[in-house]
Amino acid sequence: METPSDSSLIIGVAASTAERVNLARLLGEADALLLVSSADQARAFLELTGVTAAGPVLAPPTVLQPAPIKAVPAMAAPAPVGELRLDVDRRVVRWKDREMPLTRLEHDFLHCLVTEPGRVWTYQRLHHAVWGNEHLGHGSHIHSVVKRLRQKLANLGATVTIHAVRGVGFHLLPAT
């Protein structure tokens, strides 16, 4: 693999998807970045590209601290998204002249997405904002909330829905 002499390849090794997403955020300005799930994958890549001990100098491994999660603003009424409105006092979502009650989890989850429509909220950031901790588990609880919210938005006839970004998180977009 030919690269200009003033650029470098950074290989990040992280076991989980969440850790690789965090590494991508931390190292996003790199000239070339390869994220793998194991040292064996990194070695296989280096062998495939012909990098040997006589090749480029490899920096010693560095442990990076995860980026701090930004605090979610207090539950103020978010700006409407199209005709979708979220009533934070009553915990209801409104589309045009129809409204639907929400559970606390559904409300807090939708509040995040409505606060920054179109922006992808990572699983980690959503979990911190809605559940108040860092435990991601296997994610079925997040998917359960998304499923219920999608159904409620569809029942309202809303033309926005929650879209998944595989391995990263969710965002609110016009329904297709």
Side-chain angles (χ1 to χ4, degrees):
M1 179 169 100
E2 297 288 327
T3 59
S5 60
D6 62 340
S7 69
S8 59
L9 169 65
I10 296 175
I11 300 175
V13 180
S16 74
T17 301
E19 291 169 329
R20 287 190 296 279
V21 168
N22 195 36
L23 274 176
R25 249 188 270 127
L26 291 169
L27 302 171
E29 300 297 318
D31 293 329
L33 176 62
L34 172 67
L35 298 176
V36 294
S37 61
S38 70
D40 289 336
Q41 283 183 334
R43 279 188 211 94
F45 173 80
L46 293 172
E47 288 172 7
L48 271 172
T49 58
V51 175
T52 63
V57 176
L58 301 176
T62 304
V63 176
L64 299 172
Q65 296 303 317
I69 299 172
K70 295 177 185 173
V72 174
M75 291 290 183
V81 177
E83 295 190 51
L84 183 75
R85 288 174 175 49
L86 189 61
D87 184 331
V88 296
D89 297 323
R90 297 177 43 229
R91 277 198 194 139
V92 297
V93 61
R94 176 181 292 271
W95 180 261
K96 297 183 180 180
D97 62 341
R98 301 177 70 197
E99 64 181 36
M100 180 78 64
L102 301 172
T103 67
R104 184 197 65 81
L105 292 176
E106 292 166 348
H107 171 270
D108 293 356
F109 193 97
L110 190 57
H111 186 274
C112 291
L113 300 182
V114 170
T115 300
E116 300 178 64
R119 178 173 185 200
V120 177
W121 279 69
T122 64
Y123 292 109
Q124 183 180 15
R125 190 164 176 233
L126 280 166
H127 205 279
H128 187 266
V130 176
W131 283 268
N133 60 41
E134 300 297 320
H135 176 71
L136 294 175
H138 48 76
S140 62
H141 54 292
I142 289 178
H143 292 282
S144 176
V145 170
V146 169
K147 182 178 178 179
R148 291 191 318 261
L149 277 171
R150 283 177 176 157
Q151 185 60 55
K152 287 183 177 186
L153 290 172
N155 289 346
L156 286 173
T159 59
V160 295
T161 192
I162 300 168
H163 286 255
V165 178
R166 188 180 176 127
V168 180
F170 297 95
H171 56 153
L172 193 65
L173 291 176
T176 56

